[in-house]
Amino acid sequence: MTSPQQPQPQPEPHDTDAPGAAAPMPPAEAPEPPAQQPAREAGTMMLQAQPAPQAQAAPQAQQGARKDAGTMTLQAQQPPTGPPPQQPPQPQQPPHQPAPQHGPQPPHQQQIPAAWQAAGPGAAPAYVSPIPVRRTNLGHALASEWTKIRSVRSTMWTLGVLILLNVGIGLLTSLALAGPDRVVEPKLGFAWFGLLLGTLCVLPLGVLVISSEYGTGMIRTTFTACPSRARVLTAKAIVLFGLTFVITTVSNTLVAMLHAGMLNGPAPTGGQWLRATLGSGLYVAVLSLLALGVGALLRHSAGAISAMMGLVLLPMLMAVFMLGSESLRPFATKLIEYSIPNSLGAIYDQPFMPDGPAGWQPLLVLLGVTAVVLAGAYTALQKRDV
């Protein structure tokens, strides 16, 4: 560093020309511009490199030290203009190095998954869910649909009204036809009156099984949980068919027993018993599947229920007005023969028209129509968006 200079007394103006007087000090030099600093530094280095006389060695050494200190001060104040110095490369550390743990580890950290061990110490471990993942199947969809259908109030109301109408009207019919002098043949021929009215309660249930989810938006959650739409519709069909078949068959068996025990006439044959209990239960259950297919196609509860009611009642009503015309009478006769009320009566050997389907034929006709409608529902479910 530069040593501070002692202040020298300044001579008066009238003493300037006096002999022996000290020369006036030169004025202070202005700071050099930054562009001349490198030239001065170069000159300083050249002066230091040249040999100096012995007499002037000490003053020049002091001046050189002062200049070097000033140069170093100026260099420290100026920012570097050249490229930054390159640092030596640092050794790379492997990523995700776990910190060493001391002491006993919890049980869930002591077991290392096999996927982490196969990845190696230098690779990032993949996430492994602790929840076991299982492939879904039709059994899971059946459990889901069974939970839905038994937890809603519409199922209880529709099936409850079905049982009430079937058993209640069947009991009233048996009381009206009972008498010591009255013979009824076939004995189970009038047991389907209550079932026909109860069928009108099954149709809304079949429609609401799928159309209610479209109305509330829950169908998106169902398809998210089970992306296979065909599996969802199959599960709905199985659950609906099984529940309707069991309820209808049990109530039909009770009504058939009431008619067989209270009415006079020849005992019903095995075929009549089978059709009056199992056959009628299958017919109503297949009719509920037809309602399910219509609900899947229309996706609207009110529209699908109206369409099914028209399918059950409209052919018979249209035929009544067409019978007055000679040209429309053959067509009206076919409408009555293949209508649902006449088909249900034919299963009990009590049809409106004697030339129409009889025995198990109405059930086969309904199976064919239902298969076509369900095939269209499966196709529409796969091709259309939610």
Side-chain angles (χ1 to χ4, degrees):
M1 298 181 59
T2 307
S3 58
Q5 298 180 359
Q6 296 292 333
Q8 298 180 3
Q10 296 292 335
E12 297 293 333
H14 58 85
D15 294 333
T16 303
D17 296 335
M25 294 186 66
E29 299 180 358
E32 298 180 357
Q36 296 181 4
Q37 291 179 2
R40 191 188 67 177
E41 293 176 4
T44 303
M45 295 176 63
M46 292 177 62
L47 289 174
Q48 291 178 357
Q50 293 180 0
Q54 294 293 334
Q56 298 178 356
Q60 290 181 355
Q62 294 178 0
Q63 294 177 1
R66 295 175 182 176
K67 291 182 179 181
D68 291 343
T71 302
M72 292 176 62
T73 304
L74 292 175
Q75 289 178 354
Q77 295 177 357
Q78 285 186 348
T81 57
Q86 296 182 358
Q87 299 180 357
Q90 299 292 336
Q92 297 182 357
Q93 297 181 358
H96 302 284
Q97 288 291 340
Q101 298 181 359
H102 302 282
Q105 298 180 1
H108 65 277
Q109 295 183 1
Q110 293 177 1
Q111 297 179 359
I112 302 177
W116 292 19
Q117 297 177 1
Y127 174 75
V128 178
S129 175
I131 303 175
V133 179
R134 295 182 299 176
R135 295 180 61 88
T136 58
N137 49 39
L138 183 60
H140 299 129
L142 289 174
S144 174
E145 296 304 325
W146 170 246
T147 304
K148 292 178 186 178
I149 200 170
R150 67 181 176 86
S151 59
V152 295
R153 297 180 180 179
S154 59
T155 305
M156 183 184 302
W157 280 102
T158 52
L159 295 181
V161 174
L162 167 65
I163 297 173
L164 181 62
L165 290 176
N166 192 11
V167 177
I169 295 178
L171 178 59
L172 294 177
T173 305
S174 63
L175 290 175
L177 297 176
D181 299 333
R182 181 176 294 179
V183 177
V184 178
E185 187 180 358
K187 206 171 187 179
L188 304 179
F190 298 94
W192 60 276
F193 289 165
L195 183 61
L196 178 61
L197 295 178
T199 302
L200 301 179
C201 300
V202 175
L203 302 180
L205 176 62
V207 170
L208 291 175
V209 165
I210 188 168
S211 63
S212 61
E213 295 194 33
Y214 279 103
T216 59
M218 281 295 297
I219 194 67
R220 298 183 179 88
T221 305
T222 301
F223 288 155
T224 301
C226 183
S228 178
R229 301 186 177 186
R231 184 187 300 172
V232 172
L233 187 57
T234 303
K236 289 180 180 294
I238 292 175
V239 172
L240 176 64
F241 179 85
L243 182 61
T244 308
F245 173 73
V246 171
I247 296 297
T248 308
T249 303
V250 171
S251 61
N252 290 342
T253 303
L254 181 59
V255 173
M257 292 174 63
L258 290 174
H259 280 249
M262 297 177 64
L263 300 181
N264 295 329
T269 62
Q272 291 176 344
W273 272 105
L274 190 62
R275 290 195 304 270
T277 56
L278 185 63
S280 58
L282 286 173
Y283 191 88
V284 175
V286 174
L287 195 61
S288 68
L289 292 182
L290 180 61
L292 174 66
V294 174
L297 287 173
L298 299 183
R299 301 184 179 187
H300 192 271
S301 299
I305 293 174
S306 301
M308 289 304 301
M309 292 296 180
L311 180 63
V312 173
L313 302 176
L314 190 59
M316 184 69 71
L317 295 177
M318 291 176 60
V320 171
F321 292 99
M322 290 180 182
L323 289 176
S325 175
E326 292 293 337
S327 59
L328 296 177
R329 185 169 296 177
F331 181 68
T333 302
K334 291 298 180 182
L335 285 179
I336 295 175
E337 290 177 355
Y338 288 94
S339 64
I340 290 181
N342 184 73
S343 299
L344 194 58
I347 294 177
Y348 286 85
D349 294 335
Q350 195 74 18
F352 295 112
M353 296 293 181
D355 297 333
W360 295 95
Q361 292 179 0
L363 179 60
L364 298 178
V365 173
L366 184 61
L367 280 173
V369 175
T370 304
V372 173
V373 175
L374 283 179
Y378 275 103
T379 304
L381 204 63
Q382 295 291 340
K383 293 185 176 297
R384 291 191 302 186
D385 199 1
V386 177

